[in-house]
């Protein structure tokens, strides 16, 4: 009995030290990372898991591209969410390729475009259109070309022989596959005629975006509201031009890159981006930071792990993929489509409440605080916030060494049941 009586002040002291430690750690977190904490709190929390497959680089191509697009469409159509909606793959559309014959005739002194409107590409365009009408494809902007034409010409005529030789070979092959261009040239929205890059003239950017809108209007009957910056390099003037010509949403990897260094590498990001944040002209951002590139070894199990993480964070899962996974030799194409089928099936069996939608529709949900797909209850928001903090790379060290990570984990676990509980109000997405 006397031991217990003496133990009480000791326990009280220990408790005070522990509380003071966590209080100090929380204060340090708020002082050092206050803006990030607030941004993660403001970021919408979804009450249902959302999965969108985002693919880029589709455009002019041989008949085989049309065939694989139709195979993908069939695969998507066979997988339905509980509302009966098929899985959706967005198509980042590149409007044109170089008209190599015309450019050669002009001594490569000027750029000439061969657009997706050309009869040769009618099968690809028809496959895209049919998929859109079936609700399995949604087209997005990915540049009138996947390069800035003046930069391509400048590099072609540059003194540096190896660069211009590689470009000449690319052109002689028909210039069909933008994937084969040197990465700096694939950055359409910055001038990589020489390195380090410099910003483009905003007037020229505005003109290019208007031309792209006009072409997409002719191709699909409307200019898509979603833009995917090529290689994720863009700046405010690109956003202003997009906003002026109908873009409302920009797909990002969670960062904005604005240029390339002397070696052609991306410069450090100019800003961090979270779902639902606003840019120039009222556009909003979505974050695509998970990957499904079968050519690089990504498998259904990787997607399942990403889905689990995004569910706990109350964030949508936007899966990045590219045309190049689906246009190789037949065995590789078949394997990529089969892995897509397995991925979607696994995701749906893991989360029967999974919701398939387009990125444009997701943006509508992110814009609307009253959307039934968004958590309104503070418990659900708090649980998701705790998980976001634990998963934020910049906070990892502080959370781990202070012990706050364990505390947040326990708190998220206790509150966790409320996240993604099937809400009676959560209707079709
Ligand atoms: Zn691309």
């Amino acid at each position: 009995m006397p031991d217990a009586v003496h133990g009480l002040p000791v326990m009280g002291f220990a408790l005070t030290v522990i509380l003071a430690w966590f209080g100090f750690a929380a204060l340090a977190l708020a002082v050092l990372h206050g803006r990030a904490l607030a941004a993660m709190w403001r970021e919408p929390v979804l009450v249902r898991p959302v999965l969108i497959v985002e693919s880029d680089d589709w455009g002019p191509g041989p008949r085989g591209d049309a065939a694989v697009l139709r195979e993908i469409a069939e695969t998507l159509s066979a997988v339905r969410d509980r509302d009966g909606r098929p899985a959706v793959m967005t198509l980042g559309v590149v409007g044109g390729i170089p008209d190599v014959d015309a450019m050669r005739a002009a001594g490569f002194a000027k750029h000439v475009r061969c657009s997706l409107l050309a009869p040769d590409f009618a099968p690809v365009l028809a496959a895209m259109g049919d998929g859109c009408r079936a609700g399995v494809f949604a087209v997005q902007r990915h540049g009138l070309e996947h390069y800035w034409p003046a930069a391509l010409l400048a590099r072609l005529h540059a003194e540096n022989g190896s660069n211009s030789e590689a470009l000449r070979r690319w052109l002689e092959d028909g210039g069909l596959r933008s994937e084969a261009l040197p990465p700096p040239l694939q950055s359409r929205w910055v001038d990589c005629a020489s390195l380090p890059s410099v910003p483009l003239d905003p007037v020229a950017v505005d003109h290019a975006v208007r031309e792209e809108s006009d072409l997409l209007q002719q191709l699909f009957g409307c200019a898509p509201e979603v833009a995917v910056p090529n290689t994720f390099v863009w700046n405010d003037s690109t956003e202003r031009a997009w906003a002026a010509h109908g873009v409302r949403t920009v797909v990002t990897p969670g960062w904005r890159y604005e240029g390339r260094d002397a070696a052609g590498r991306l410069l450090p990001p100019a800003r961090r981006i979270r779902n639902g944040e606003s840019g120039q002209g009222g556009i909003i951002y979505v974050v695509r930071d998970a990957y499904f590139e079968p050519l690089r070894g990504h498998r259904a199990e990787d997607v399942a792990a990403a889905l689990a993480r995004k569910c706990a964070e109350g964030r949508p899962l936007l899966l990045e993929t590219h045309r190049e996974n689906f246009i190789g030799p037949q065995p590789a194409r078949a394997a990529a489509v089969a892995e897509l089928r397995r991925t979607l099936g696994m995701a749906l069996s893991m989360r029967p409440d999974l919701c398939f939608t387009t990125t444009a529709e997701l943006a509508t949900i992110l814009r609307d605080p009253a959307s039934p797909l968004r958590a309104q209850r503070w418990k659900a928001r708090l649980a998701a916030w705790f998980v976001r903090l634990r998963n934020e790379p910049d906070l990892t060290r502080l959370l781990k060494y202070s012990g706050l990570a364990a505390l947040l984990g326990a708190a998220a676990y206790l509150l966790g049941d409320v996240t993604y509980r099937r809400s009676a109000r959560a209707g079709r997405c």
Side-chain angles (χ1 to χ4, degrees), residues 359-391:
T359 303
E361 288 165 333
L362 170 66
T364 304
I365 295 165
L366 295 176
R367 269 194 199 91
D368 176 13
S371 166
L373 264 294
R374 283 179 55 170
Q376 311 295 339
R377 295 150 50 102
W378 70 268
K379 275 187 175 177
R381 295 186 61 208
L382 201 57
W385 189 62
F386 287 157
V387 178
R388 290 172 182 182
L389 297 190
R390 287 193 78 195
N391 294 349

PDB file of all heavy atoms in Angstrom, residues 359-391:
ATOM      1  N   THR A 359     -12.071  11.583 -64.877  1.00  0.00           N
ATOM      2  CA  THR A 359     -11.339  12.601 -64.118  1.00  0.00           C
ATOM      3  C   THR A 359     -12.125  13.915 -64.089  1.00  0.00           C
ATOM      4  O   THR A 359     -12.109  14.626 -63.079  1.00  0.00           O
ATOM      5  CB  THR A 359      -9.949  12.797 -64.741  1.00  0.00           C
ATOM      6  OG1 THR A 359      -9.303  11.513 -64.747  1.00  0.00           O
ATOM      7  CG2 THR A 359      -9.107  13.772 -63.958  1.00  0.00           C
ATOM      8  N   ALA A 360     -12.839  14.225 -65.177  1.00  0.00           N
ATOM      9  CA  ALA A 360     -13.653  15.455 -65.199  1.00  0.00           C
ATOM     10  C   ALA A 360     -14.745  15.374 -64.133  1.00  0.00           C
ATOM     11  O   ALA A 360     -15.027  16.354 -63.428  1.00  0.00           O
ATOM     12  CB  ALA A 360     -14.257  15.651 -66.585  1.00  0.00           C
ATOM     13  N   GLU A 361     -15.348  14.190 -63.989  1.00  0.00           N
ATOM     14  CA  GLU A 361     -16.392  14.040 -62.966  1.00  0.00           C
ATOM     15  C   GLU A 361     -15.804  14.072 -61.564  1.00  0.00           C
ATOM     16  O   GLU A 361     -16.409  14.627 -60.641  1.00  0.00           O
ATOM     17  CB  GLU A 361     -17.156  12.730 -63.200  1.00  0.00           C
ATOM     18  CG  GLU A 361     -18.062  12.808 -64.412  1.00  0.00           C
ATOM     19  CD  GLU A 361     -18.554  11.448 -64.875  1.00  0.00           C
ATOM     20  OE1 GLU A 361     -17.852  10.435 -64.633  1.00  0.00           O
ATOM     21  OE2 GLU A 361     -19.615  11.392 -65.500  1.00  0.00           O
ATOM     22  N   LEU A 362     -14.636  13.491 -61.413  1.00  0.00           N
ATOM     23  CA  LEU A 362     -13.961  13.562 -60.109  1.00  0.00           C
ATOM     24  C   LEU A 362     -13.713  15.024 -59.731  1.00  0.00           C
ATOM     25  O   LEU A 362     -13.914  15.429 -58.582  1.00  0.00           O
ATOM     26  CB  LEU A 362     -12.633  12.801 -60.167  1.00  0.00           C
ATOM     27  CG  LEU A 362     -11.712  12.992 -58.956  1.00  0.00           C
ATOM     28  CD1 LEU A 362     -12.335  12.402 -57.690  1.00  0.00           C
ATOM     29  CD2 LEU A 362     -10.330  12.370 -59.204  1.00  0.00           C
ATOM     30  N   ALA A 363     -13.311  15.825 -60.713  1.00  0.00           N
ATOM     31  CA  ALA A 363     -13.054  17.242 -60.435  1.00  0.00           C
ATOM     32  C   ALA A 363     -14.326  17.943 -59.977  1.00  0.00           C
ATOM     33  O   ALA A 363     -14.291  18.818 -59.103  1.00  0.00           O
ATOM     34  CB  ALA A 363     -12.475  17.918 -61.680  1.00  0.00           C
ATOM     35  N   THR A 364     -15.462  17.553 -60.535  1.00  0.00           N
ATOM     36  CA  THR A 364     -16.738  18.139 -60.111  1.00  0.00           C
ATOM     37  C   THR A 364     -16.992  17.821 -58.635  1.00  0.00           C
ATOM     38  O   THR A 364     -17.449  18.671 -57.868  1.00  0.00           O
ATOM     39  CB  THR A 364     -17.879  17.562 -60.979  1.00  0.00           C
ATOM     40  OG1 THR A 364     -17.557  17.814 -62.337  1.00  0.00           O
ATOM     41  CG2 THR A 364     -19.218  18.186 -60.655  1.00  0.00           C
ATOM     42  N   ILE A 365     -16.670  16.594 -58.247  1.00  0.00           N
ATOM     43  CA  ILE A 365     -16.842  16.198 -56.837  1.00  0.00           C
ATOM     44  C   ILE A 365     -15.900  17.020 -55.944  1.00  0.00           C
ATOM     45  O   ILE A 365     -16.290  17.507 -54.883  1.00  0.00           O
ATOM     46  CB  ILE A 365     -16.544  14.686 -56.671  1.00  0.00           C
ATOM     47  CG1 ILE A 365     -17.580  13.863 -57.430  1.00  0.00           C
ATOM     48  CG2 ILE A 365     -16.500  14.286 -55.202  1.00  0.00           C
ATOM     49  CD1 ILE A 365     -17.187  12.404 -57.627  1.00  0.00           C
ATOM     50  N   LEU A 366     -14.675  17.204 -56.414  1.00  0.00           N
ATOM     51  CA  LEU A 366     -13.691  17.945 -55.607  1.00  0.00           C
ATOM     52  C   LEU A 366     -14.080  19.412 -55.464  1.00  0.00           C
ATOM     53  O   LEU A 366     -13.738  20.067 -54.487  1.00  0.00           O
ATOM     54  CB  LEU A 366     -12.299  17.828 -56.235  1.00  0.00           C
ATOM     55  CG  LEU A 366     -11.687  16.421 -56.276  1.00  0.00           C
ATOM     56  CD1 LEU A 366     -10.350  16.436 -57.012  1.00  0.00           C
ATOM     57  CD2 LEU A 366     -11.496  15.858 -54.865  1.00  0.00           C
ATOM     58  N   ARG A 367     -14.810  19.915 -56.472  1.00  0.00           N
ATOM     59  CA  ARG A 367     -15.222  21.328 -56.422  1.00  0.00           C
ATOM     60  C   ARG A 367     -16.419  21.554 -55.515  1.00  0.00           C
ATOM     61  O   ARG A 367     -16.650  22.663 -55.068  1.00  0.00           O
ATOM     62  CB  ARG A 367     -15.636  21.787 -57.838  1.00  0.00           C
ATOM     63  CG  ARG A 367     -14.538  22.367 -58.626  1.00  0.00           C
ATOM     64  CD  ARG A 367     -15.067  23.103 -59.854  1.00  0.00           C
ATOM     65  NE  ARG A 367     -13.952  23.226 -60.757  1.00  0.00           N
ATOM     66  CZ  ARG A 367     -13.651  22.346 -61.706  1.00  0.00           C
ATOM     67  NH1 ARG A 367     -14.426  21.303 -61.906  1.00  0.00           N
ATOM     68  NH2 ARG A 367     -12.587  22.515 -62.455  1.00  0.00           N
ATOM     69  N   ASP A 368     -17.181  20.501 -55.266  1.00  0.00           N
ATOM     70  CA  ASP A 368     -18.469  20.663 -54.587  1.00  0.00           C
ATOM     71  C   ASP A 368     -18.388  20.184 -53.136  1.00  0.00           C
ATOM     72  O   ASP A 368     -18.427  18.981 -52.865  1.00  0.00           O
ATOM     73  CB  ASP A 368     -19.525  19.858 -55.363  1.00  0.00           C
ATOM     74  CG  ASP A 368     -20.874  19.900 -54.679  1.00  0.00           C
ATOM     75  OD1 ASP A 368     -21.055  20.736 -53.754  1.00  0.00           O
ATOM     76  OD2 ASP A 368     -21.753  19.102 -55.056  1.00  0.00           O
ATOM     77  N   PRO A 369     -18.322  21.113 -52.185  1.00  0.00           N
ATOM     78  CA  PRO A 369     -18.193  20.692 -50.775  1.00  0.00           C
ATOM     79  C   PRO A 369     -19.390  19.872 -50.301  1.00  0.00           C
ATOM     80  O   PRO A 369     -19.277  19.116 -49.336  1.00  0.00           O
ATOM     81  CB  PRO A 369     -18.124  22.021 -50.005  1.00  0.00           C
ATOM     82  CG  PRO A 369     -17.874  23.080 -51.024  1.00  0.00           C
ATOM     83  CD  PRO A 369     -18.384  22.561 -52.345  1.00  0.00           C
ATOM     84  N   ALA A 370     -20.535  20.011 -50.980  1.00  0.00           N
ATOM     85  CA  ALA A 370     -21.729  19.289 -50.532  1.00  0.00           C
ATOM     86  C   ALA A 370     -21.907  17.955 -51.255  1.00  0.00           C
ATOM     87  O   ALA A 370     -22.913  17.276 -51.062  1.00  0.00           O
ATOM     88  CB  ALA A 370     -22.966  20.169 -50.764  1.00  0.00           C
ATOM     89  N   SER A 371     -20.939  17.565 -52.086  1.00  0.00           N
ATOM     90  CA  SER A 371     -21.079  16.311 -52.830  1.00  0.00           C
ATOM     91  C   SER A 371     -21.270  15.137 -51.877  1.00  0.00           C
ATOM     92  O   SER A 371     -20.546  15.011 -50.884  1.00  0.00           O
ATOM     93  CB  SER A 371     -19.828  16.081 -53.684  1.00  0.00           C
ATOM     94  OG  SER A 371     -19.808  14.740 -54.135  1.00  0.00           O
ATOM     95  N   PRO A 372     -22.230  14.248 -52.177  1.00  0.00           N
ATOM     96  CA  PRO A 372     -22.412  13.065 -51.310  1.00  0.00           C
ATOM     97  C   PRO A 372     -21.219  12.124 -51.343  1.00  0.00           C
ATOM     98  O   PRO A 372     -21.115  11.238 -50.506  1.00  0.00           O
ATOM     99  CB  PRO A 372     -23.663  12.389 -51.897  1.00  0.00           C
ATOM    100  CG  PRO A 372     -23.835  12.948 -53.251  1.00  0.00           C
ATOM    101  CD  PRO A 372     -23.208  14.313 -53.262  1.00  0.00           C
ATOM    102  N   LEU A 373     -20.323  12.311 -52.301  1.00  0.00           N
ATOM    103  CA  LEU A 373     -19.118  11.467 -52.352  1.00  0.00           C
ATOM    104  C   LEU A 373     -18.027  11.996 -51.425  1.00  0.00           C
ATOM    105  O   LEU A 373     -16.973  11.386 -51.296  1.00  0.00           O
ATOM    106  CB  LEU A 373     -18.587  11.414 -53.792  1.00  0.00           C
ATOM    107  CG  LEU A 373     -19.011  10.230 -54.663  1.00  0.00           C
ATOM    108  CD1 LEU A 373     -18.440   8.935 -54.118  1.00  0.00           C
ATOM    109  CD2 LEU A 373     -20.517  10.131 -54.768  1.00  0.00           C
ATOM    110  N   ARG A 374     -18.280  13.142 -50.789  1.00  0.00           N
ATOM    111  CA  ARG A 374     -17.268  13.723 -49.900  1.00  0.00           C
ATOM    112  C   ARG A 374     -17.676  13.581 -48.452  1.00  0.00           C
ATOM    113  O   ARG A 374     -18.852  13.733 -48.098  1.00  0.00           O
ATOM    114  CB  ARG A 374     -17.062  15.203 -50.243  1.00  0.00           C
ATOM    115  CG  ARG A 374     -16.218  15.363 -51.482  1.00  0.00           C
ATOM    116  CD  ARG A 374     -16.027  16.796 -51.848  1.00  0.00           C
ATOM    117  NE  ARG A 374     -15.479  17.612 -50.764  1.00  0.00           N
ATOM    118  CZ  ARG A 374     -15.053  18.854 -50.940  1.00  0.00           C
ATOM    119  NH1 ARG A 374     -15.078  19.382 -52.151  1.00  0.00           N
ATOM    120  NH2 ARG A 374     -14.582  19.553 -49.926  1.00  0.00           N
ATOM    121  N   ALA A 375     -16.699  13.286 -47.606  1.00  0.00           N
ATOM    122  CA  ALA A 375     -16.987  13.135 -46.179  1.00  0.00           C
ATOM    123  C   ALA A 375     -17.325  14.488 -45.577  1.00  0.00           C
ATOM    124  O   ALA A 375     -16.624  15.470 -45.814  1.00  0.00           O
ATOM    125  CB  ALA A 375     -15.770  12.538 -45.479  1.00  0.00           C
ATOM    126  N   GLN A 376     -18.416  14.517 -44.815  1.00  0.00           N
ATOM    127  CA  GLN A 376     -18.795  15.751 -44.133  1.00  0.00           C
ATOM    128  C   GLN A 376     -18.483  15.638 -42.646  1.00  0.00           C
ATOM    129  O   GLN A 376     -18.246  16.630 -41.980  1.00  0.00           O
ATOM    130  CB  GLN A 376     -20.306  16.027 -44.311  1.00  0.00           C
ATOM    131  CG  GLN A 376     -20.808  15.917 -45.752  1.00  0.00           C
ATOM    132  CD  GLN A 376     -20.205  16.975 -46.668  1.00  0.00           C
ATOM    133  OE1 GLN A 376     -19.740  18.005 -46.191  1.00  0.00           O
ATOM    134  NE2 GLN A 376     -20.179  16.715 -47.967  1.00  0.00           N
ATOM    135  N   ARG A 377     -18.516  14.397 -42.130  1.00  0.00           N
ATOM    136  CA  ARG A 377     -18.358  14.185 -40.678  1.00  0.00           C
ATOM    137  C   ARG A 377     -16.900  14.372 -40.274  1.00  0.00           C
ATOM    138  O   ARG A 377     -15.988  13.887 -40.944  1.00  0.00           O
ATOM    139  CB  ARG A 377     -18.830  12.783 -40.315  1.00  0.00           C
ATOM    140  CG  ARG A 377     -20.314  12.553 -40.551  1.00  0.00           C
ATOM    141  CD  ARG A 377     -20.593  11.103 -40.890  1.00  0.00           C
ATOM    142  NE  ARG A 377     -19.966  10.220 -39.921  1.00  0.00           N
ATOM    143  CZ  ARG A 377     -20.623   9.621 -38.920  1.00  0.00           C
ATOM    144  NH1 ARG A 377     -21.911   9.802 -38.769  1.00  0.00           N
ATOM    145  NH2 ARG A 377     -19.983   8.838 -38.084  1.00  0.00           N
ATOM    146  N   TRP A 378     -16.710  15.037 -39.162  1.00  0.00           N
ATOM    147  CA  TRP A 378     -15.344  15.367 -38.751  1.00  0.00           C
ATOM    148  C   TRP A 378     -14.516  14.126 -38.434  1.00  0.00           C
ATOM    149  O   TRP A 378     -13.316  14.099 -38.639  1.00  0.00           O
ATOM    150  CB  TRP A 378     -15.356  16.350 -37.581  1.00  0.00           C
ATOM    151  CG  TRP A 378     -15.841  15.780 -36.289  1.00  0.00           C
ATOM    152  CD1 TRP A 378     -17.104  15.791 -35.815  1.00  0.00           C
ATOM    153  CD2 TRP A 378     -15.039  15.083 -35.306  1.00  0.00           C
ATOM    154  NE1 TRP A 378     -17.176  15.148 -34.614  1.00  0.00           N
ATOM    155  CE2 TRP A 378     -15.915  14.714 -34.261  1.00  0.00           C
ATOM    156  CE3 TRP A 378     -13.704  14.743 -35.192  1.00  0.00           C
ATOM    157  CZ2 TRP A 378     -15.492  14.009 -33.139  1.00  0.00           C
ATOM    158  CZ3 TRP A 378     -13.266  14.044 -34.076  1.00  0.00           C
ATOM    159  CH2 TRP A 378     -14.165  13.693 -33.058  1.00  0.00           C
ATOM    160  N   LYS A 379     -15.189  13.052 -37.945  1.00  0.00           N
ATOM    161  CA  LYS A 379     -14.444  11.836 -37.591  1.00  0.00           C
ATOM    162  C   LYS A 379     -13.784  11.232 -38.824  1.00  0.00           C
ATOM    163  O   LYS A 379     -12.624  10.821 -38.798  1.00  0.00           O
ATOM    164  CB  LYS A 379     -15.376  10.809 -36.960  1.00  0.00           C
ATOM    165  CG  LYS A 379     -15.596  10.988 -35.487  1.00  0.00           C
ATOM    166  CD  LYS A 379     -16.390   9.800 -34.959  1.00  0.00           C
ATOM    167  CE  LYS A 379     -16.529   9.865 -33.456  1.00  0.00           C
ATOM    168  NZ  LYS A 379     -17.360   8.759 -32.959  1.00  0.00           N
ATOM    169  N   ALA A 380     -14.536  11.158 -39.908  1.00  0.00           N
ATOM    170  CA  ALA A 380     -13.987  10.584 -41.143  1.00  0.00           C
ATOM    171  C   ALA A 380     -12.850  11.455 -41.669  1.00  0.00           C
ATOM    172  O   ALA A 380     -11.813  10.957 -42.117  1.00  0.00           O
ATOM    173  CB  ALA A 380     -15.094  10.465 -42.186  1.00  0.00           C
ATOM    174  N   ARG A 381     -13.045  12.769 -41.592  1.00  0.00           N
ATOM    175  CA  ARG A 381     -12.009  13.684 -42.096  1.00  0.00           C
ATOM    176  C   ARG A 381     -10.741  13.593 -41.234  1.00  0.00           C
ATOM    177  O   ARG A 381      -9.622  13.608 -41.734  1.00  0.00           O
ATOM    178  CB  ARG A 381     -12.559  15.110 -42.137  1.00  0.00           C
ATOM    179  CG  ARG A 381     -13.706  15.280 -43.135  1.00  0.00           C
ATOM    180  CD  ARG A 381     -14.129  16.718 -43.253  1.00  0.00           C
ATOM    181  NE  ARG A 381     -13.045  17.541 -43.719  1.00  0.00           N
ATOM    182  CZ  ARG A 381     -12.903  18.844 -43.432  1.00  0.00           C
ATOM    183  NH1 ARG A 381     -13.802  19.437 -42.669  1.00  0.00           N
ATOM    184  NH2 ARG A 381     -11.887  19.520 -43.898  1.00  0.00           N
ATOM    185  N   LEU A 382     -10.971  13.482 -39.926  1.00  0.00           N
ATOM    186  CA  LEU A 382      -9.825  13.419 -39.011  1.00  0.00           C
ATOM    187  C   LEU A 382      -9.031  12.122 -39.213  1.00  0.00           C
ATOM    188  O   LEU A 382      -7.801  12.132 -39.243  1.00  0.00           O
ATOM    189  CB  LEU A 382     -10.341  13.508 -37.571  1.00  0.00           C
ATOM    190  CG  LEU A 382      -9.347  13.943 -36.504  1.00  0.00           C
ATOM    191  CD1 LEU A 382      -8.741  15.307 -36.830  1.00  0.00           C
ATOM    192  CD2 LEU A 382     -10.028  13.992 -35.124  1.00  0.00           C
ATOM    193  N   ALA A 383      -9.763  11.001 -39.378  1.00  0.00           N
ATOM    194  CA  ALA A 383      -9.078   9.715 -39.589  1.00  0.00           C
ATOM    195  C   ALA A 383      -8.216   9.776 -40.843  1.00  0.00           C
ATOM    196  O   ALA A 383      -7.053   9.351 -40.845  1.00  0.00           O
ATOM    197  CB  ALA A 383     -10.110   8.593 -39.699  1.00  0.00           C
ATOM    198  N   ALA A 384      -8.788  10.339 -41.926  1.00  0.00           N
ATOM    199  CA  ALA A 384      -8.039  10.431 -43.182  1.00  0.00           C
ATOM    200  C   ALA A 384      -6.841  11.372 -43.017  1.00  0.00           C
ATOM    201  O   ALA A 384      -5.752  11.113 -43.533  1.00  0.00           O
ATOM    202  CB  ALA A 384      -8.959  10.935 -44.295  1.00  0.00           C
ATOM    203  N   TRP A 385      -7.040  12.438 -42.278  1.00  0.00           N
ATOM    204  CA  TRP A 385      -5.957  13.419 -42.071  1.00  0.00           C
ATOM    205  C   TRP A 385      -4.786  12.787 -41.336  1.00  0.00           C
ATOM    206  O   TRP A 385      -3.617  12.971 -41.693  1.00  0.00           O
ATOM    207  CB  TRP A 385      -6.502  14.624 -41.312  1.00  0.00           C
ATOM    208  CG  TRP A 385      -5.570  15.784 -41.209  1.00  0.00           C
ATOM    209  CD1 TRP A 385      -5.060  16.524 -42.227  1.00  0.00           C
ATOM    210  CD2 TRP A 385      -5.045  16.361 -39.996  1.00  0.00           C
ATOM    211  NE1 TRP A 385      -4.254  17.529 -41.744  1.00  0.00           N
ATOM    212  CE2 TRP A 385      -4.226  17.453 -40.368  1.00  0.00           C
ATOM    213  CE3 TRP A 385      -5.199  16.067 -38.638  1.00  0.00           C
ATOM    214  CZ2 TRP A 385      -3.565  18.246 -39.430  1.00  0.00           C
ATOM    215  CZ3 TRP A 385      -4.537  16.871 -37.709  1.00  0.00           C
ATOM    216  CH2 TRP A 385      -3.728  17.935 -38.116  1.00  0.00           C
ATOM    217  N   PHE A 386      -5.103  11.992 -40.298  1.00  0.00           N
ATOM    218  CA  PHE A 386      -4.032  11.327 -39.553  1.00  0.00           C
ATOM    219  C   PHE A 386      -3.218  10.419 -40.479  1.00  0.00           C
ATOM    220  O   PHE A 386      -1.989  10.383 -40.408  1.00  0.00           O
ATOM    221  CB  PHE A 386      -4.610  10.499 -38.399  1.00  0.00           C
ATOM    222  CG  PHE A 386      -5.122  11.326 -37.245  1.00  0.00           C
ATOM    223  CD1 PHE A 386      -6.079  10.831 -36.368  1.00  0.00           C
ATOM    224  CD2 PHE A 386      -4.643  12.609 -37.021  1.00  0.00           C
ATOM    225  CE1 PHE A 386      -6.551  11.590 -35.300  1.00  0.00           C
ATOM    226  CE2 PHE A 386      -5.106  13.387 -35.954  1.00  0.00           C
ATOM    227  CZ  PHE A 386      -6.065  12.865 -35.106  1.00  0.00           C
ATOM    228  N   VAL A 387      -3.923   9.689 -41.332  1.00  0.00           N
ATOM    229  CA  VAL A 387      -3.207   8.771 -42.242  1.00  0.00           C
ATOM    230  C   VAL A 387      -2.373   9.578 -43.240  1.00  0.00           C
ATOM    231  O   VAL A 387      -1.231   9.227 -43.545  1.00  0.00           O
ATOM    232  CB  VAL A 387      -4.212   7.855 -42.980  1.00  0.00           C
ATOM    233  CG1 VAL A 387      -3.471   6.952 -43.962  1.00  0.00           C
ATOM    234  CG2 VAL A 387      -5.006   7.016 -41.989  1.00  0.00           C
ATOM    235  N   ARG A 388      -2.931  10.683 -43.740  1.00  0.00           N
ATOM    236  CA  ARG A 388      -2.187  11.520 -44.689  1.00  0.00           C
ATOM    237  C   ARG A 388      -0.889  12.040 -44.055  1.00  0.00           C
ATOM    238  O   ARG A 388       0.153  12.073 -44.697  1.00  0.00           O
ATOM    239  CB  ARG A 388      -3.064  12.702 -45.131  1.00  0.00           C
ATOM    240  CG  ARG A 388      -4.206  12.283 -46.024  1.00  0.00           C
ATOM    241  CD  ARG A 388      -5.160  13.438 -46.292  1.00  0.00           C
ATOM    242  NE  ARG A 388      -6.264  12.995 -47.120  1.00  0.00           N
ATOM    243  CZ  ARG A 388      -7.230  13.794 -47.555  1.00  0.00           C
ATOM    244  NH1 ARG A 388      -7.223  15.074 -47.229  1.00  0.00           N
ATOM    245  NH2 ARG A 388      -8.193  13.319 -48.311  1.00  0.00           N
ATOM    246  N   LEU A 389      -1.006  12.460 -42.798  1.00  0.00           N
ATOM    247  CA  LEU A 389       0.200  12.964 -42.109  1.00  0.00           C
ATOM    248  C   LEU A 389       1.254  11.863 -42.032  1.00  0.00           C
ATOM    249  O   LEU A 389       2.434  12.090 -42.315  1.00  0.00           O
ATOM    250  CB  LEU A 389      -0.142  13.425 -40.683  1.00  0.00           C
ATOM    251  CG  LEU A 389      -1.112  14.592 -40.501  1.00  0.00           C
ATOM    252  CD1 LEU A 389      -1.121  15.032 -39.042  1.00  0.00           C
ATOM    253  CD2 LEU A 389      -0.734  15.767 -41.372  1.00  0.00           C
ATOM    254  N   ARG A 390       0.818  10.674 -41.655  1.00  0.00           N
ATOM    255  CA  ARG A 390       1.784   9.547 -41.514  1.00  0.00           C
ATOM    256  C   ARG A 390       2.434   9.218 -42.845  1.00  0.00           C
ATOM    257  O   ARG A 390       3.581   8.792 -42.884  1.00  0.00           O
ATOM    258  CB  ARG A 390       1.061   8.300 -40.993  1.00  0.00           C
ATOM    259  CG  ARG A 390       0.682   8.381 -39.537  1.00  0.00           C
ATOM    260  CD  ARG A 390       0.278   7.021 -39.047  1.00  0.00           C
ATOM    261  NE  ARG A 390       1.446   6.189 -38.790  1.00  0.00           N
ATOM    262  CZ  ARG A 390       1.403   4.877 -38.620  1.00  0.00           C
ATOM    263  NH1 ARG A 390       0.273   4.225 -38.706  1.00  0.00           N
ATOM    264  NH2 ARG A 390       2.495   4.192 -38.369  1.00  0.00           N
ATOM    265  N   ASN A 391       1.682   9.388 -43.934  1.00  0.00           N
ATOM    266  CA  ASN A 391       2.207   9.000 -45.253  1.00  0.00           C
ATOM    267  C   ASN A 391       2.936  10.133 -45.980  1.00  0.00           C
ATOM    268  O   ASN A 391       3.433   9.940 -47.078  1.00  0.00           O
ATOM    269  CB  ASN A 391       1.064   8.497 -46.147  1.00  0.00           C
ATOM    270  CG  ASN A 391       0.460   7.206 -45.620  1.00  0.00           C
ATOM    271  OD1 ASN A 391       1.025   6.583 -44.719  1.00  0.00           O
ATOM    272  ND2 ASN A 391      -0.668   6.799 -46.159  1.00  0.00           N
TER     273      ASN A 391
END
